[in-house]
Amino acid sequence: MLIGELARRTGTSDRLLRYYERVGLLAADRRDNGYREYDAGAVERVQQIRELLAAGLPTREIRRIIDCAHPDGRLDACPGVLDTLRARLTELDARAAELTAARAALRQAITTTESQRERA
């Protein structure tokens, strides 16, 4: 299938599909006229990429583990997969803690500002 068909079937833009190809997540053959041609498995591959992106993995990490992914979203415990997933979870937990602290500080600033306004 051509890139436009893959884009339509996956709900992904042509530009993003070209990016996936450029970073090594997706492969295409080239026709004589230079058009990209994807095999039928490309739809599942793009869906796997999108699911891993939604889980918070950057493309460099996805490239390392994508071959361990199944169409239903499961990942085989290939070497490095669990370490990659655990490391990303640790990063996300740290970011969540930072956001929680920022949220608390913002709530406090709002409370302080409101109370000053009421006294004025």
Side-chain angles (χ1 to χ4, degrees), residues 34-68:
Y35 287 12
R36 290 172 172 84
E37 186 165 21
Y38 298 92
D39 64 25
V43 172
E44 288 177 356
R45 180 77 166 210
V46 171
Q47 290 168 341
Q48 291 166 337
I49 293 165
R50 304 285 292 180
E51 288 171 6
L52 292 168
L53 285 167
L57 291 170
T59 55
R60 71 180 180 283
E61 297 296 337
I62 293 171
R63 188 174 50 249
R64 291 180 32 209
I65 67 172
I66 189 72
D67 290 332
C68 299

Short mmCIF file of all heavy atoms in Angstrom, two decimals, residues 34-68:
data_model
loop_
_atom_site.label_atom_id
_atom_site.label_comp_id
_atom_site.label_asym_id
_atom_site.label_seq_id
_atom_site.Cartn_x
_atom_site.Cartn_y
_atom_site.Cartn_z
N GLY A 34 9.73 5.92 -7.23
CA GLY A 34 10.17 6.51 -5.97
C GLY A 34 9.13 6.51 -4.87
O GLY A 34 9.42 6.87 -3.73
N TYR A 35 7.90 6.12 -5.17
CA TYR A 35 6.85 6.10 -4.16
C TYR A 35 7.15 5.01 -3.12
O TYR A 35 7.63 3.93 -3.46
CB TYR A 35 5.49 5.80 -4.79
CG TYR A 35 4.90 6.93 -5.59
CD1 TYR A 35 5.61 8.06 -5.95
CD2 TYR A 35 3.58 6.84 -6.00
CE1 TYR A 35 5.04 9.08 -6.69
CE2 TYR A 35 2.99 7.86 -6.75
CZ TYR A 35 3.73 8.97 -7.09
OH TYR A 35 3.17 9.97 -7.82
N ARG A 36 6.82 5.32 -1.89
CA ARG A 36 6.96 4.34 -0.82
C ARG A 36 5.85 3.30 -0.95
O ARG A 36 4.70 3.65 -1.20
CB ARG A 36 6.85 5.01 0.54
CG ARG A 36 8.00 5.89 0.90
CD ARG A 36 7.67 6.66 2.19
NE ARG A 36 8.82 7.37 2.69
CZ ARG A 36 9.21 8.57 2.26
NH1 ARG A 36 8.53 9.19 1.33
NH2 ARG A 36 10.27 9.15 2.76
N GLU A 37 6.20 2.05 -0.68
CA GLU A 37 5.20 0.99 -0.68
C GLU A 37 5.39 0.18 0.60
O GLU A 37 6.48 -0.31 0.87
CB GLU A 37 5.32 0.11 -1.91
CG GLU A 37 4.21 -0.91 -1.98
CD GLU A 37 4.10 -1.56 -3.35
OE1 GLU A 37 5.07 -1.52 -4.12
OE2 GLU A 37 3.02 -2.09 -3.63
N TYR A 38 4.32 0.08 1.36
CA TYR A 38 4.34 -0.61 2.65
C TYR A 38 3.63 -1.95 2.52
O TYR A 38 2.65 -2.07 1.79
CB TYR A 38 3.65 0.23 3.72
CG TYR A 38 4.33 1.56 3.96
CD1 TYR A 38 3.94 2.69 3.26
CD2 TYR A 38 5.36 1.66 4.88
CE1 TYR A 38 4.57 3.91 3.48
CE2 TYR A 38 5.99 2.88 5.10
CZ TYR A 38 5.60 3.99 4.39
OH TYR A 38 6.23 5.18 4.60
N ASP A 39 4.11 -2.94 3.28
CA ASP A 39 3.42 -4.23 3.27
C ASP A 39 2.22 -4.18 4.23
O ASP A 39 2.03 -3.20 4.96
CB ASP A 39 4.39 -5.37 3.62
CG ASP A 39 4.96 -5.28 5.03
OD1 ASP A 39 4.33 -4.68 5.92
OD2 ASP A 39 6.06 -5.82 5.25
N ALA A 40 1.42 -5.23 4.22
CA ALA A 40 0.20 -5.26 5.03
C ALA A 40 0.50 -5.16 6.52
O ALA A 40 -0.32 -4.64 7.29
CB ALA A 40 -0.58 -6.53 4.73
N GLY A 41 1.66 -5.61 6.96
CA GLY A 41 2.02 -5.55 8.38
C GLY A 41 2.31 -4.14 8.87
O GLY A 41 2.42 -3.92 10.08
N ALA A 42 2.43 -3.20 7.97
CA ALA A 42 2.74 -1.82 8.36
C ALA A 42 1.63 -1.20 9.21
O ALA A 42 1.90 -0.40 10.09
CB ALA A 42 3.01 -0.96 7.14
N VAL A 43 0.40 -1.59 8.96
CA VAL A 43 -0.72 -1.06 9.75
C VAL A 43 -0.54 -1.44 11.22
O VAL A 43 -0.61 -0.59 12.11
CB VAL A 43 -2.08 -1.55 9.22
CG1 VAL A 43 -3.21 -1.15 10.16
CG2 VAL A 43 -2.33 -1.01 7.82
N GLU A 44 -0.28 -2.72 11.48
CA GLU A 44 -0.06 -3.17 12.86
C GLU A 44 1.18 -2.51 13.44
O GLU A 44 1.19 -2.12 14.62
CB GLU A 44 0.09 -4.68 12.91
CG GLU A 44 -1.19 -5.42 12.68
CD GLU A 44 -1.01 -6.93 12.68
OE1 GLU A 44 0.14 -7.41 12.78
OE2 GLU A 44 -2.02 -7.63 12.58
N ARG A 45 2.23 -2.37 12.65
CA ARG A 45 3.46 -1.77 13.13
C ARG A 45 3.22 -0.33 13.57
O ARG A 45 3.67 0.09 14.64
CB ARG A 45 4.52 -1.82 12.02
CG ARG A 45 5.85 -1.24 12.35
CD ARG A 45 6.65 -2.18 13.22
NE ARG A 45 8.04 -1.76 13.26
CZ ARG A 45 9.04 -2.58 13.42
NH1 ARG A 45 8.85 -3.87 13.54
NH2 ARG A 45 10.26 -2.12 13.47
N VAL A 46 2.49 0.44 12.78
CA VAL A 46 2.19 1.83 13.14
C VAL A 46 1.34 1.86 14.41
O VAL A 46 1.57 2.68 15.30
CB VAL A 46 1.50 2.58 11.98
CG1 VAL A 46 0.99 3.95 12.42
CG2 VAL A 46 2.47 2.72 10.81
N GLN A 47 0.38 0.96 14.53
CA GLN A 47 -0.44 0.91 15.74
C GLN A 47 0.42 0.60 16.96
O GLN A 47 0.22 1.18 18.03
CB GLN A 47 -1.56 -0.11 15.57
CG GLN A 47 -2.60 0.35 14.57
CD GLN A 47 -3.58 -0.74 14.15
OE1 GLN A 47 -3.33 -1.93 14.31
NE2 GLN A 47 -4.70 -0.32 13.59
N GLN A 48 1.38 -0.32 16.81
CA GLN A 48 2.28 -0.64 17.91
C GLN A 48 3.11 0.59 18.30
O GLN A 48 3.28 0.89 19.49
CB GLN A 48 3.21 -1.79 17.52
CG GLN A 48 2.50 -3.11 17.38
CD GLN A 48 3.36 -4.15 16.66
OE1 GLN A 48 4.28 -3.83 15.92
NE2 GLN A 48 3.05 -5.41 16.90
N ILE A 49 3.62 1.28 17.30
CA ILE A 49 4.41 2.49 17.56
C ILE A 49 3.57 3.50 18.32
O ILE A 49 4.01 4.07 19.32
CB ILE A 49 4.93 3.10 16.23
CG1 ILE A 49 5.95 2.16 15.58
CG2 ILE A 49 5.52 4.49 16.46
CD1 ILE A 49 6.26 2.49 14.12
N ARG A 50 2.35 3.73 17.86
CA ARG A 50 1.46 4.71 18.50
C ARG A 50 1.15 4.32 19.95
O ARG A 50 1.10 5.17 20.83
CB ARG A 50 0.17 4.84 17.70
CG ARG A 50 0.37 5.21 16.23
CD ARG A 50 0.73 6.60 15.99
NE ARG A 50 -0.40 7.44 16.35
CZ ARG A 50 -0.41 8.73 16.26
NH1 ARG A 50 0.64 9.36 15.83
NH2 ARG A 50 -1.46 9.42 16.61
N GLU A 51 0.94 3.02 20.20
CA GLU A 51 0.67 2.57 21.57
C GLU A 51 1.88 2.78 22.47
O GLU A 51 1.73 3.19 23.62
CB GLU A 51 0.26 1.09 21.55
CG GLU A 51 -1.12 0.87 20.98
CD GLU A 51 -1.45 -0.59 20.75
OE1 GLU A 51 -0.65 -1.48 21.15
OE2 GLU A 51 -2.50 -0.86 20.16
N LEU A 52 3.06 2.50 21.97
CA LEU A 52 4.27 2.69 22.77
C LEU A 52 4.55 4.17 23.01
O LEU A 52 4.98 4.56 24.10
CB LEU A 52 5.46 2.00 22.10
CG LEU A 52 5.37 0.47 22.09
CD1 LEU A 52 6.43 -0.13 21.17
CD2 LEU A 52 5.51 -0.10 23.51
N LEU A 53 4.25 5.01 22.03
CA LEU A 53 4.37 6.46 22.23
C LEU A 53 3.38 6.92 23.29
O LEU A 53 3.71 7.73 24.15
CB LEU A 53 4.13 7.21 20.92
CG LEU A 53 5.26 7.16 19.89
CD1 LEU A 53 4.77 7.66 18.54
CD2 LEU A 53 6.46 7.96 20.37
N ALA A 54 2.16 6.38 23.24
CA ALA A 54 1.14 6.75 24.23
C ALA A 54 1.53 6.32 25.63
O ALA A 54 1.13 6.95 26.62
CB ALA A 54 -0.21 6.13 23.84
N ALA A 55 2.34 5.26 25.72
CA ALA A 55 2.83 4.79 27.02
C ALA A 55 3.99 5.64 27.53
O ALA A 55 4.51 5.39 28.61
CB ALA A 55 3.26 3.32 26.93
N GLY A 56 4.39 6.63 26.73
CA GLY A 56 5.42 7.55 27.17
C GLY A 56 6.83 7.21 26.73
O GLY A 56 7.78 7.84 27.18
N LEU A 57 6.98 6.24 25.84
CA LEU A 57 8.31 5.89 25.38
C LEU A 57 8.74 6.78 24.22
O LEU A 57 7.97 7.02 23.30
CB LEU A 57 8.34 4.43 24.91
CG LEU A 57 8.19 3.39 26.01
CD1 LEU A 57 7.99 2.01 25.40
CD2 LEU A 57 9.41 3.38 26.91
N PRO A 58 9.97 7.27 24.25
CA PRO A 58 10.47 8.05 23.12
C PRO A 58 10.83 7.12 21.96
O PRO A 58 11.05 5.92 22.15
CB PRO A 58 11.72 8.74 23.69
CG PRO A 58 12.16 7.88 24.81
CD PRO A 58 10.91 7.22 25.36
N THR A 59 10.90 7.68 20.77
CA THR A 59 11.15 6.85 19.59
C THR A 59 12.47 6.09 19.67
O THR A 59 12.57 4.97 19.18
CB THR A 59 11.12 7.69 18.30
OG1 THR A 59 12.05 8.76 18.40
CG2 THR A 59 9.72 8.21 18.02
N ARG A 60 13.49 6.66 20.30
CA ARG A 60 14.78 5.95 20.39
C ARG A 60 14.63 4.67 21.20
O ARG A 60 15.30 3.67 20.92
CB ARG A 60 15.87 6.85 20.95
CG ARG A 60 15.73 7.18 22.41
CD ARG A 60 16.85 8.09 22.94
NE ARG A 60 16.65 8.37 24.33
CZ ARG A 60 15.78 9.24 24.82
NH1 ARG A 60 15.03 9.94 23.99
NH2 ARG A 60 15.65 9.43 26.11
N GLU A 61 13.77 4.67 22.21
CA GLU A 61 13.53 3.47 23.01
C GLU A 61 12.62 2.50 22.26
O GLU A 61 12.80 1.29 22.32
CB GLU A 61 12.91 3.83 24.36
CG GLU A 61 13.78 4.68 25.25
CD GLU A 61 15.06 3.99 25.69
OE1 GLU A 61 15.11 2.74 25.70
OE2 GLU A 61 16.03 4.70 26.02
N ILE A 62 11.64 3.04 21.56
CA ILE A 62 10.74 2.19 20.78
C ILE A 62 11.53 1.41 19.74
O ILE A 62 11.30 0.22 19.53
CB ILE A 62 9.62 3.03 20.13
CG1 ILE A 62 8.71 3.60 21.22
CG2 ILE A 62 8.82 2.18 19.13
CD1 ILE A 62 7.69 4.60 20.71
N ARG A 63 12.48 2.08 19.11
CA ARG A 63 13.31 1.42 18.10
C ARG A 63 14.02 0.20 18.68
O ARG A 63 14.18 -0.81 18.02
CB ARG A 63 14.33 2.41 17.52
CG ARG A 63 15.09 1.87 16.34
CD ARG A 63 16.00 2.89 15.66
NE ARG A 63 16.86 3.61 16.58
CZ ARG A 63 16.76 4.92 16.89
NH1 ARG A 63 15.83 5.65 16.32
NH2 ARG A 63 17.58 5.48 17.73
N ARG A 64 14.40 0.28 19.95
CA ARG A 64 15.11 -0.83 20.58
C ARG A 64 14.19 -2.00 20.93
O ARG A 64 14.66 -3.13 21.03
CB ARG A 64 15.81 -0.34 21.85
CG ARG A 64 16.96 0.60 21.53
CD ARG A 64 17.70 1.13 22.72
NE ARG A 64 17.75 0.23 23.85
CZ ARG A 64 17.84 0.63 25.10
NH1 ARG A 64 17.87 1.91 25.40
NH2 ARG A 64 17.90 -0.24 26.08
N ILE A 65 12.90 -1.75 21.12
CA ILE A 65 12.02 -2.83 21.60
C ILE A 65 10.88 -3.19 20.65
O ILE A 65 10.17 -4.16 20.90
CB ILE A 65 11.44 -2.50 23.00
CG1 ILE A 65 10.48 -1.32 22.94
CG2 ILE A 65 12.53 -2.29 24.01
CD1 ILE A 65 9.73 -1.07 24.22
N ILE A 66 10.70 -2.47 19.56
CA ILE A 66 9.54 -2.66 18.68
C ILE A 66 9.46 -4.09 18.13
O ILE A 66 8.37 -4.62 17.93
CB ILE A 66 9.50 -1.62 17.54
CG1 ILE A 66 8.17 -1.68 16.78
CG2 ILE A 66 10.66 -1.79 16.59
CD1 ILE A 66 7.00 -1.16 17.51
N ASP A 67 10.59 -4.71 17.90
CA ASP A 67 10.56 -6.07 17.34
C ASP A 67 10.07 -7.10 18.36
O ASP A 67 9.82 -8.24 18.00
CB ASP A 67 11.93 -6.45 16.80
CG ASP A 67 12.28 -5.67 15.55
OD1 ASP A 67 11.35 -5.26 14.82
OD2 ASP A 67 13.48 -5.45 15.31
N CYS A 68 9.90 -6.69 19.60
CA CYS A 68 9.39 -7.58 20.64
C CYS A 68 7.89 -7.38 20.87
O CYS A 68 7.31 -7.99 21.75
CB CYS A 68 10.14 -7.33 21.96
SG CYS A 68 11.90 -7.64 21.83
#
